[in-house]
Amino acid sequence: MICFLILCMSPPLRDVLSVRPWTSLGEQLSKCYQVPDPAAGPTNAHANLRLFEAGGVPEVTLFRDNHGWCPYCQKVWLFLEEKKVNYDVRKVTMFCYGKKEAWYKKIVPSGMLPALQVKQTGEVVTESDAILARLEQLFGPLGPVPLSHAEVELNRRLERKLFSAWCSWLCRPSWTAEEEAGAKEDFCSVCREVERRIGESLGPFLLSEFGVSDTILCPYIERMQSSLFYYKGFNMRETFPVISAWFSAMEQRSTYQGTKSDHHTHVHDLPPQMGGCYHDANCLKASPSLVEVVKGAMDSVDAPSLNSDSSSLEVDASAFPEPATSRLEAAYRVMRHRQVLAQISPVHSSSPDAFDVGVRAVLTRLLADCSYRHFPDVASVERTGTMDQLPPGGALALLYMRDRLSIPRDMGFWAGRRLRQTLSDVASDYGSAQDWEIYRGDPRWRIPREHRRDADPTPFRAAVKA
């Protein structure tokens, strides 16, 4: 395993930043941002109830992971959203994030996710494929043909074949450059099969129109794109244009937009789930150019900047354009949970001012951009204090938050991208050199690879209930 450090030093000269108080930030948000209805609005990870017509009642309960990250849950989630089945949601902690809820183990003793409970009968169904089959029985097929159709079965086998090739390349270390090249070619060979399969339908989907085959393929191919870019420097969408067109077609669907995660969440949540993700040491040693490619990919994911243009093709912005409200959404979600964010920040207990000033600086920058670009009618806003450097610990507070932001649990894809970039930029532009030395050198600040209990959802869930 090769690890690369993010070399990000603060510039010697900084622009002075006026930092606004919480009251001013809150007033602008209340004036500019209308929070979407989680129950009846677009697909989102925050809803505990989804209703698709006035007066509707939930027909099933979906038990899914709290982070909205589980790929098997995503398949079922997409089916329910596409079919517009009224449902409610009960969120469960995946083991790598924290302790499994006792109430859920009474319903599903294995603790596995997802699960579905049918309201009318009370029956509980587990395993995503069985859940999809039961949903199809209750509400009809998704797309032109049912799950049992031979064409769908063929696509399911192809998805499993692609999954196996991906695991063999990503999750098993290669001892020679030849082994690495072979694993890569095995994966690419199956990708070519997928492209031929899409070509048979005349594209862009796996069959003549969008259907259950695409919801089955979607979760893991999304994770393949992120993980191979980050760990192997391999750009899946650039290499396979037909698969890229399939991604773009999916990204036009509001259901997928609401469930889509980002590169950073995937690449740091996969290792404990998959048993490890590997850069290939022998291959990298033999190829200095590949080292630069992989390092560039990792830096673009781990230290994103508003001033840099990533070549990851993480999203097709023409298919899924950034909404004008992305920065407002990001600011709203931070404001909503700022007390919990302070509580879990390692900086706050010893340096509360560092956390407070740092986060207000980030929101000041986010909302200033909103005011000038998209909301010119907003009057000049109150500003209090100026700074040319964050207090000691300020950059650490922002970097800790940046590295533990989870998409789509915390906010939608574009809001998450803008918040992650702004956290990174403010820490880089105004953080002290000492903070950066601590961040790079102290292992306590690193994202763990054995688990993700640093992203335990319990404090946020308790705050929402309160």
Side-chain angles (χ1 to χ4, degrees), residues 33 36 42 257 315 317 319-330 369-370 373-375 412-418:
Y33 185 55
Q257 292 171 7
V315 66
F320 180 16
E322 180 176 10
T325 56
S326 62
R327 291 166 174 80
L328 290 167
E329 179 189 350
D369 190 76
C370 289
R373 290 192 181 183
H374 304 300
F375 300 94
F413 173 84
W414 279 107
R417 170 177 277 193
R418 289 305 168 193

Side-chain angles (χ1 to χ4, degrees), residues 56-362:
V57 294
E59 299 181 78
V60 297
T61 297
L62 171 64
F63 300 91
R64 70 157 174 84
D65 66 306
N66 190 87
H67 281 65
W69 183 87
C70 167
Y72 302 104
C73 297
Q74 189 180 10
K75 284 196 290 188
V76 178
W77 187 8
L78 282 168
F79 188 103
L80 291 167
E81 291 287 322
E82 288 283 350
K83 290 292 291 183
K84 299 188 184 308
V85 175
N86 295 327
Y87 68 100
D88 52 21
V89 183
R90 297 196 68 182
K91 298 170 187 174
V92 182
T93 304
M94 293 177 71
F95 177 72
C96 76
Y97 297 110
K99 186 177 180 181
K100 189 80 67 177
E101 288 78 4
W103 63 260
Y104 182 65
K105 297 194 77 172
K106 292 179 181 178
I107 300 170
V108 180
S110 68
M112 299 299 289
L113 292 166
L116 186 89
Q117 186 169 43
V118 181
K119 296 283 188 178
Q120 187 173 10
T121 64
E123 68 180 297
V124 175
V125 187
T126 59
E127 299 187 0
S128 59
D129 287 346
I131 293 171
L132 292 179
R134 185 68 179 110
L135 287 171
E136 189 177 86
Q137 291 172 355
L138 291 168
F139 306 108
L142 175 61
V145 295
L147 276 164
S148 58
H149 194 279
E151 295 296 302
V152 178
E153 286 293 333
L154 180 60
N155 292 334
R156 292 170 84 168
R157 289 196 296 272
L158 188 55
E159 187 264 349
R160 289 292 86 192
K161 186 176 180 181
L162 186 64
F163 175 84
S164 178
W166 170 60
C167 289
S168 294
W169 186 16
L170 178 69
C171 303
R172 297 175 186 170
S174 298
W175 303 109
T176 66
E178 289 74 18
E179 281 187 35
E180 176 74 2
K184 177 181 179 179
E185 176 52 33
D186 288 345
F187 176 80
C188 289
S189 176
V190 186
C191 285
R192 289 190 286 271
E193 286 188 53
V194 173
E195 292 209 312
R196 287 193 294 271
R197 182 68 179 151
I198 295 171
E200 291 170 3
S201 72
L202 303 181
F205 298 113
L206 280 159
L207 295 177
S208 58
E209 58 187 82
F210 172 84
V212 71
S213 291
D214 302 290
T215 66
I216 290 170
L217 181 68
C218 171
Y220 269 118
I221 203 168
E222 179 184 320
R223 288 150 182 78
M224 292 171 195
Q225 178 205 0
S226 298
S227 59
L228 295 178
F229 176 73
Y230 184 86
Y231 290 102
K232 303 291 186 179
F234 179 80
N235 197 319
M236 192 174 179
R237 291 181 79 159
E238 186 176 66
T239 306
F240 297 105
V242 175
I243 289 176
S244 184
W246 174 88
F247 266 116
S248 296
M250 289 294 295
E251 286 165 350
Q252 289 179 328
R253 308 187 75 84
S254 63
T255 54
Y256 179 58
Q257 292 171 7
T259 70
K260 181 178 174 64
S261 188
D262 69 340
H263 279 346
H264 191 278
T265 302
H266 282 323
V267 302
H268 292 294
D269 285 8
L270 277 168
Q273 300 286 349
M274 304 290 288
C277 299
Y278 293 92
H279 308 287
D280 183 68
N282 292 295
C283 191
L284 290 174
K285 286 178 182 177
S287 175
S289 62
L290 183 56
V291 171
E292 292 304 310
V293 169
V294 174
K295 182 181 181 301
M298 294 179 69
D299 284 352
S300 73
V301 172
D302 284 336
S305 172
L306 292 167
N307 300 317
S308 64
D309 180 25
S310 172
S311 61
S312 69
L313 299 180
E314 183 177 11
V315 66
D316 179 352
S318 65
F320 180 16
E322 180 176 10
T325 56
S326 62
R327 291 166 174 80
L328 290 167
E329 179 189 350
Y332 168 78
R333 298 299 298 177
V334 173
M335 287 283 287
R336 177 178 169 84
H337 294 291
R338 64 187 174 96
Q339 292 181 337
V340 180
L341 290 169
Q343 171 191 330
I344 65 175
S345 173
V347 168
H348 185 258
S349 60
S350 58
S351 306
D353 187 55
F355 175 87
D356 184 85
V357 172
V359 174
R360 286 192 291 112
V362 167

Side-chain angles (χ1 to χ4, degrees), residues 6-12 427-429 431-434 436-437 440:
I6 303 170
L7 302 177
C8 188
M9 296 298 294
S10 302
S428 179
D429 292 346
S432 69
Q434 182 180 12
W436 279 100
E437 289 174 8
R440 293 196 302 270

